[in-house]
Every structure is written in structure tokens, then in C-alpha cells.
Amino acid sequence: MPANPFTDVAIASRYDAWYATEGRRADRLEKRLLGQMLARFPGTRTVLEVGCGTGHFTRWLEGMDVRAVGLEAASAMLAEAVRLGSRLCVQGDALALPFPADSFDLVVMITALEFISDPLQALTEGWRVARNGLVLGVLNRDSRLGRQLMRAGGPIWGAARLLTPAELVEMAHQAVADERAQVVWRTTLWPLWPGALPLPWGGFIGMAIKRT
């Protein structure tokens, strides 16, 4: 994969502003879908967000009355997360999480797998440290949005490797290995409709992988 764009201080410093400007509607719809996936894990008290970036979603999780820890490899993004008020952030590698097994009720990865060199290994590590399962938010390569981002390229999307729902389901089953798990996914359907359905062409994939 290309070099990690998030080590660039300039990119880190303006990254979070997207959610408050042109990305406001996407952010709202993505959080709505992610909230549906999180609701499949009642009683969650501790969450690790792997690839937390500037902490945008970590702070959102904190607002749900859970103890949310953000993990990020890029020091520039981590510094921005702290500046913006994220309370619990650590620097670490998604491919070798610095936590023992079953450390958190839930592990989430939101727009993170696209930038990780070995997404299957990241899922395997997330599964290892999660007691109850994983929630994923991933941009869909088979969507109109995904095709637009790939055409746009640039320092961020030129470094991304987008996934499809089918690829993500296959990876999920590989990551849980011989354990039993329930895998549920939906995609956002904007701009056609502000809801989410299990259709393979929505722009943003929300997935829950739950131990059974």
C-alpha cells in the first residue's frame, strides 16, 4: 500500500473539520447506521476504537456513557485527537494490539480497515481483545461513493483500499476462525434514501460481528 497519509501534520490538522462542513450529512447517516450495529451489544461498558484518527468517533462513543479508548498509529492524528478533547488515546499498531485477550466489551473500526496494510490481521486482533464482538464502518468499493473516491485519489483516497460487503463478510468469518459468530451488515443508501438496508451498493457499510 502507499505510505500512510495520516503522518502528515497538515492532513491531521484539517481532517476533523470535514465532519462539520461538507461531510455533516454523511456523518449523521453513518452514525445512525453504526448506532444500529452498536445496539446489538446491549450492556457495553468498554470500547476500543482501532484507528481512531482524530478521535471523532471516540468522542461520540464517550457520549454514550461508555469508557472509550482510541488507538492510533499516526502520532500527528493522535496529537490532534488529544487537542480536540479525546480523553483516552494510546499510540499502537492495529496489527499487534497492545492489550491482552478480552480487554474490552467491544472493538470498533470506523473508516480504518481501508488504510491498514493487512485488514484480516487487524480483524483477528480486534476479535482477540473483544469479549463480545466487533462493529465495523467501512466505505464500499461497489458503491457510487466508493467509485468517486477512487477516481478522486489524492493523498488520502489514493492510499486507501476500499472493500465490498462480500469481502468484509468473508474476512469476518476468517477472523473469528472456529468460533461461532453472527455477522449482520447494512449499507447507507444516501443520496437515494436516508436509511440503511442489506443492499450491496450502499456507500457506507455498517457491520456487527457478535459472539454467539
Side-chain angles (χ1 to χ4, degrees):
M1 287 186 71
N4 183 352
F6 302 115
T7 58
D8 187 327
V9 173
I11 288 176
S13 66
R14 62 177 183 266
Y15 186 85
D16 212 74
W18 180 83
Y19 293 107
T21 54
E22 61 186 290
R24 183 177 299 174
R25 183 165 183 253
D27 183 45
R28 183 174 67 253
L29 296 174
E30 289 171 9
K31 284 176 177 174
R32 181 187 299 171
L33 175 53
L34 291 168
Q36 294 173 15
M37 298 297 112
L38 291 166
R40 295 179 176 273
F41 300 88
T44 295
R45 290 292 175 264
T46 57
V47 179
L48 172 67
E49 186 191 359
V50 175
C52 70
T54 58
H56 177 78
F57 288 102
T58 310
R59 294 188 294 278
W60 174 64
L61 290 164
E62 288 173 354
M64 297 180 184
D65 196 29
V66 300
R67 183 177 184 269
V69 177
L71 179 135
E72 173 60 43
S75 57
M77 296 292 271
L78 201 61
E80 189 67 8
V82 172
R83 188 187 72 81
L84 291 171
S86 299
R87 291 182 291 180
L88 294 172
C89 297
V90 296
Q91 190 164 19
D93 185 354
L95 305 183
L97 295 175
F99 304 104
D102 302 330
S103 293
F104 299 88
D105 292 333
L106 191 62
V107 170
V108 305
M109 303 181 193
I110 305 169
T111 322
L113 287 176
E114 299 91 326
F115 300 97
I116 294 173
S117 61
D118 188 343
L120 175 57
Q121 174 61 19
L123 289 178
T124 302
E125 274 291 278
W127 187 252
R128 179 183 67 81
V129 305
R131 282 186 285 271
N132 300 325
L134 310 176
V135 167
L136 310 177
V138 180
L139 292 162
N140 182 7
R141 191 178 73 240
D142 278 352
S143 68
R144 187 175 77 176
L145 173 63
R147 291 190 292 271
Q148 287 173 344
L149 293 174
M150 287 188 292
R151 283 197 301 269
I156 294 179
W157 301 115
R161 181 172 56 190
L162 306 191
L163 298 165
T164 68
E167 289 171 337
L168 205 54
V169 169
E170 182 179 356
M171 259 189 233
H173 286 299
Q174 290 179 41
V176 306
D178 295 330
E179 294 189 63
R180 296 185 63 180
Q182 179 188 48
V183 178
V184 175
W185 62 271
R186 302 285 187 273
T187 62
T188 56
L189 301 180
W190 64 276
L192 298 179
W193 181 62
L197 288 171
L199 296 173
W201 40 264
F204 182 80
I205 309 161
M207 179 175 287
I209 309 168
K210 185 175 183 179
R211 278 194 165 88
T212 57

